[in-house]
Amino acid sequence: MIAPVLHRLRLPRHRATTAHLSSVYPYVAESGLGAAGVYLGINVLSGGGGFAYDPFEAYRAGLVSNPNMLLAGEPGVGKSATAKCFVYRSVGVFGRWVAIADPKGEYLPLAEALGLSVVKLHPGGTARVNPLDPGPSGAGDGPDELARRQSSMLVALLGSVLHRDLTPVEDAVLGWTLTHLARTARGEATLADVAAVMADPTPEMCERARVERADLARSVEAAVYALGKLLDRSLRGMFDGRTTVRLDWDGPGVVLDLSAVHHDPEALTVVMVAATAWLQAVLARPAGPPRLQVLDEAWSLLASERTSRYLQACWKLGRSYGVANLAIVHRLSDLRAQADDGTAASKVSMGLLADTQTRILFRQSSDQVADARELLDLTSTEAKLLSRLCRGRALWKVGSRTALVQHLVGPREQALCDTDGRMGA
Ligand SMILES: Nc1ncnc2c1ncn2[C@@H]1O[C@H](COP(=O)(O)OP(=O)(O)O)[C@@H](O)[C@H]1O
Ligand SMILES: [Mg+2]
């Protein structure tokens, strides 16, 4: 008759610090990650204690070896809401400067609440950003470093439009063009300048290639046409000239509203590459507060090995300027999408994961769980949990530490996070 005995057994509730609990109940209770950071919600694994996080604090505490964050989960599980609350509180508490690439146009209420500048980019619009912008640190980088950075962006951009890698000739001519422009263009070069020089190569370039000017121009025609997509075809007016936007460095940051192209996945990839290039340039400031870069719907940048490689290069550069990147994707197989066709691609996605030591895993559909488990080295319990998480709850893997967090949206933040409005929920 155990049940009635248990029924009558009344023990006082035991309270202890999470540090004590985790030694009394090893593998059951977590000690938590500490209170350094902004409050995000309840850590279910530490008996309902608060959960706070800040990538720079986690880096300082040695929990992670880079400040980058990845949020993954099915649509509607609360990834963007978590990112918005995190940004809202990080700007408020730590005074972080934030740059957001917003493919759905859903960060505008947050921008209004925080006083972020909003740059709405759309074909034929008035606001323009130059992906070749040398940025405030450009002068210090030197022309060769600038040309190298621009070249990695243009390889990703042209590859996305052409759906292939650049040929060796295209690659060489592109590199020579950028070096030429870095040395000759007073101020900043634009994509139109790149197209003009590639279409009409300089004598020096012809000499290096040892072919006639007309032949050299013909062999890079496809790349010039690909640039035309941004210059005179469907995306014109967004990236085809000098930057017309003035950034307020004394303000809290900027939102790039890219919703005009959200319906077209192919255009979105090109636009995300160009937009990230500009954000990267403006974020690369030697001085100022630590910065956060948020790339919502970042799966569009993981569409191919070329763009993933570019994203990884941005991650690495960000580290030297005190930028924490926060990327939001749907499935972890987005990271793997290109991995099946070659080992090089697989290394890129694994490298990107290695450069992202804070992984925040929301609910995944059950067919994604095996992938997630393998890519992130999850335990079987963690993997099982992934398909059962409710909205707003995520498994946080911070370096080797784990937390299960129910994110809390404050009353004031609800209006910033609501993406269900149009569903009538
Ligand atoms: N922790 C939470 N508590 C309450 N509501 C939430 C929470 N997280 C998300 N929501 C709501 O769920 C809806 C979908 O969230 P959203 O962040 O847009 O999903 P996702 O970006 O994963 O597609 C939004 O309307 C948001 O307000
Ligand atoms: Mg979202």
Side-chain angles (χ1 to χ4, degrees), residues 76 79-81 84 104 106-107 296-297 328 330 419:
K79 304 180 296 296
S80 302
K84 287 166 195 164
K104 284 186 171 169
E106 58 175 297
Y107 284 76
D296 207 328
E297 308 281 321
I328 302 179
H330 294 167
T419 51

Side-chain angles (χ1 to χ4, degrees), residues 13 16 58 84 116 162 194 230 244 271 288 357 373 390 398 421:
R13 179 187 273 253
K84 287 166 195 164
L116 304 171
L162 294 168
V194 174
L230 294 134
T244 58
V271 165
Q357 290 221 318
R373 182 173 181 191
C390 59
V398 181

Side-chain angles (χ1 to χ4, degrees), residues 4-292:
V5 173
L6 275 183
H7 192 66
R8 269 179 275 129
L9 189 66
R10 288 268 184 270
L11 289 173
R13 179 187 273 253
H14 179 69
R15 278 177 173 245
T17 67
T18 49
H20 284 110
L21 273 180
S22 62
S23 54
V24 177
Y25 296 103
Y27 312 113
V28 178
E30 269 274 331
S31 60
L33 298 179
V38 290
Y39 176 80
L40 289 171
I42 293 165
N43 185 355
V44 180
L45 292 185
S46 67
F51 178 82
Y53 184 77
D54 177 71
F56 300 101
E57 292 293 339
Y59 182 79
R60 259 193 289 276
L63 295 177
V64 289
S65 55
N66 59 60
N68 301 323
M69 303 160 72
L70 177 80
L71 284 91
E74 289 183 326
V77 290
K79 304 180 296 296
S80 302
T82 303
K84 287 166 195 164
C85 294
F86 172 68
V87 166
Y88 186 64
R89 299 169 198 178
S90 299
V91 170
V93 176
F94 290 114
R96 305 277 186 243
W97 203 91
V98 55
I100 300 169
D102 174 17
K104 284 186 171 169
E106 58 175 297
Y107 284 76
L108 305 183
L110 177 74
E112 199 177 324
L114 286 176
L116 304 171
S117 332
V118 176
V119 178
K120 184 166 174 62
L121 292 176
H122 58 97
T126 48
R128 215 169 37 209
V129 300
N130 180 7
L132 301 179
D133 206 322
S137 71
D141 271 350
D144 290 341
E145 173 54 27
L146 179 64
R148 200 196 52 71
R149 188 148 54 87
Q150 292 173 333
S151 159
S152 93
M153 184 275 295
L154 277 172
V155 165
L157 190 111
L158 292 175
S160 302
V161 181
L162 294 168
H163 295 289
R164 62 164 170 81
D165 287 335
L166 298 190
T167 65
V169 179
E170 288 166 344
D171 192 48
V173 171
L174 177 64
W176 295 334
T177 300
L178 291 169
T179 310
H180 171 76
L181 287 172
R183 297 202 166 132
T184 56
R186 257 180 243 118
E188 59 183 69
T190 63
L191 291 181
D193 298 332
V194 174
V197 176
M198 285 181 82
D200 186 12
T202 64
E204 192 195 340
M205 286 156 69
C206 300
E207 204 173 299
R208 287 178 83 167
R210 294 210 204 102
V211 287
E212 292 293 318
R213 183 182 278 204
D215 292 334
L216 191 57
R218 203 168 308 119
S219 56
V220 296
E221 239 168 22
V224 177
Y225 281 126
L227 277 173
K229 188 172 173 79
L230 294 134
L231 297 177
D232 47 41
R233 296 205 308 279
S234 53
L235 300 175
R236 75 173 181 283
M238 299 168 80
F239 303 105
D240 47 4
R242 291 194 172 192
T243 303
T244 58
V245 176
R246 287 212 169 278
L247 276 187
D248 174 12
W249 279 102
D250 296 323
V254 61
V255 174
L256 274 187
D257 176 0
L258 308 171
S259 54
V261 289
H262 182 245
H263 57 278
D264 177 352
E266 192 185 324
L268 181 61
T269 300
V270 175
V271 165
M272 283 289 271
V273 170
T276 319
W278 181 71
L279 287 179
Q280 207 64 34
V282 299
L283 283 167
R285 291 167 66 88
R291 276 140 271 171
L292 294 170

Side-chain angles (χ1 to χ4, degrees), residues 74-81 106 391-392 406-407 409 417-420:
E74 289 183 326
V77 290
K79 304 180 296 296
S80 302
E106 58 175 297
R391 177 184 267 183
Q406 180 64 45
H407 301 106
V409 178
C417 298
D418 181 20
T419 51
D420 274 347

Side-chain angles (χ1 to χ4, degrees), residues 336-358:
R336 215 174 167 64
Q338 339 94 32
D340 299 333
D341 30 276
T343 50
S346 149
K347 278 185 199 144
V348 177
S349 43
M350 293 318 284
L352 203 57
L353 267 183
D355 285 338
T356 316
Q357 290 221 318
T358 301

